[in-house]
Amino acid sequence: MRVVIVTESFPPDVNGVAHCALQTARHLVDRGHSPLVVAPATAAGSGPGVDALAPCPVIRVPSLPLPGYPQVRVALPSRRVAAAIAEHRADVVHLASPFILGVRGMAAAARLGIPAVAVYQTDLAGYARTYVHAGEAAAWRRIRSVHAAADLTLAPSSPALHDLRTHGVPRVKLWARGVDTARFRPELRDEALRRELAPNGELIVGYVGRLAPEKQVELLSGVCGLAGVRVVVVGDGPSQPSLTEALPGAVFLGRRTGDELARIFASLDVFVHTGPFETFCQTVQEAMASGVPVVAPAAGGPLDLVAHGRTGLLVPPRDPAAVRDAVRALAADAGLRAEFGTSARATVEGRTWAAVGDQLIGHYENVLAARRTVVAA
């Protein structure tokens, strides 16, 4: 099968869309298929060096940094998208979080008569509420118009599935995300790292992700005030300067990836995610694979991932006192932390990228079969 993955982000970017697109491309190659990735150019431009580790060819489209958030690149209008789809002789066009580049990919697929599978990954309506304090209805109109043109839309969680159907998006099915259980594992817990992060033996509470307004990392402020607790923040973004003031005593490690990130995850005592707008939340899965109990908002993707009272604790969104109290409860009970961590690891062990990648290929095959049926009729 020949697949063109049109994605709004791709490594070296570090975010959920980029990671999922990379894992999808890897799995397609592993299964003997022929993927091609179309993605925005990075800040360093494009060329062999940027994509040297990519599992398949990558076409880069000119882009500009998002104003106020230069780590995010926005693709410019380009004919390369349609040309890449046509030249690759795609059987299916995979649209990862279509918004700008994905819309052009959708239009090109329609002109060429190629089926398109759109993967919903970004809560644009939530971002509209956060950044402009309005525009939620307009965001849903945009989402609906984009995804309605796809043969199939894949939602990463049951709350996302419900939101899409409630707002009139047709032909939606559930497709969750995998986790690298070989990379993220409890055995990587590193006592030397723990002594470096918490030299007085404090309980280590970690956050991993973008440092941006929608992530609401400032909700950890109450946790910073707990005796015997050290907050560790991994990631970068435009909110970092304000967060260094909002989270006194926290350790900011910046962006970390790969095996180094896995070692940090396994060395935490508790993982806290604060953002209420997650359609999935990959870092929660990575913490669970690392055998770490999770505190997360009872909203969006974490509702599917965290079993309250078994693998972690769900708290009301945007409630710093609830976050603090959940961490305090776990800090006071080492046995409960160990029980939650063991259950968390067991919960995700079957959620490999190979397993969910095969499910994705099944969705492709169903879309192709449906197209053939329409043509035959």
Side-chain angles (χ1 to χ4, degrees), residues 30-52:
D30 289 345
R31 290 291 188 261
H33 301 288
S34 299
L36 170 74
V37 170
V38 180
T42 68
S46 58
V50 172
D51 298 307

Side-chain angles (χ1 to χ4, degrees), residues 45-358:
S46 58
V50 172
D51 298 307
L53 300 179
C56 66
V58 180
I59 302 295
R60 294 285 182 173
V61 174
S63 68
L64 290 174
L66 186 68
Y69 198 164
Q71 293 93 336
V72 175
R73 308 285 300 187
V74 178
L76 297 173
S78 173
R79 296 179 181 177
R80 293 184 189 177
V81 181
I85 293 170
E87 291 171 8
H88 194 63
R89 296 179 287 111
D91 299 303
V92 174
V93 175
H94 173 121
L95 305 162
S97 195
F99 181 59
I100 295 177
L101 193 61
V103 170
R104 299 187 72 83
M106 187 87 75
R111 286 196 304 271
L112 295 166
I114 301 169
V117 174
V119 179
Y120 176 69
Q121 290 180 254
T122 305
D123 183 0
L124 296 176
Y127 284 19
R129 291 196 301 272
T130 300
Y131 285 100
V132 299
H133 308 292
E136 185 175 355
W140 273 113
R141 285 194 297 271
R142 171 76 171 184
I143 293 167
R144 185 167 53 247
S145 66
V146 171
H147 285 267
D151 291 68
L152 176 66
T153 287
L154 297 175
S157 62
S158 53
L161 182 78
H162 174 77
D163 284 347
L164 289 165
R165 287 177 171 169
T166 299
H167 288 89
V169 177
R171 301 177 298 280
V172 184
K173 291 187 178 179
L174 183 66
W175 179 59
R177 302 292 178 268
V179 62
D180 188 342
T181 54
R183 166 166 281 170
F184 296 97
R185 61 189 193 276
E187 294 80 9
L188 295 177
R189 189 174 178 87
D190 187 327
E191 292 302 326
L193 174 62
R194 287 177 53 79
R195 287 192 296 271
E196 179 183 335
L197 296 174
N200 297 316
E202 298 95 335
L203 184 99
I204 301 177
V205 176
Y207 166 86
V208 177
R210 289 198 311 278
L211 307 185
E214 75 275 7
K215 299 299 184 181
Q216 300 187 6
V217 186
E218 66 276 4
L219 293 175
L220 288 169
S221 58
V223 177
C224 289
L226 294 175
V229 170
R230 176 59 58 89
V231 172
V232 173
V233 177
V234 180
D236 59 14
S239 295
Q240 183 164 344
S242 62
L243 287 172
T244 57
E245 296 183 11
L247 305 179
V251 177
F252 288 80
L253 296 180
R255 179 186 296 191
R256 304 296 174 95
T257 60
D259 293 341
E260 183 182 21
L261 177 60
R263 186 166 61 98
I264 294 170
F265 262 119
S267 300
L268 302 177
D269 295 300
V270 178
F271 176 78
V272 180
H273 186 78
T274 50
F277 303 125
E278 302 298 328
T279 60
F280 185 73
C281 201
Q282 185 65 16
T283 55
V284 164
Q285 271 207 142
E286 290 168 350
M288 293 173 69
S290 303
V292 178
V294 172
V295 175
L303 287 170
D304 278 0
L305 297 173
V306 180
H308 181 73
R310 189 167 67 85
T311 64
L313 298 173
L314 293 169
V315 298
R318 308 177 187 86
D319 188 337
V323 173
R324 179 200 61 210
D325 291 347
V327 172
R328 178 189 283 138
L330 290 171
D333 194 334
L336 186 62
R337 294 198 306 273
E339 179 184 332
F340 282 5
T342 299
S343 296
R345 172 68 189 190
T347 297
V348 302
E349 280 183 334
R351 299 180 191 170
T352 64
W353 279 107
V356 300
D358 286 343

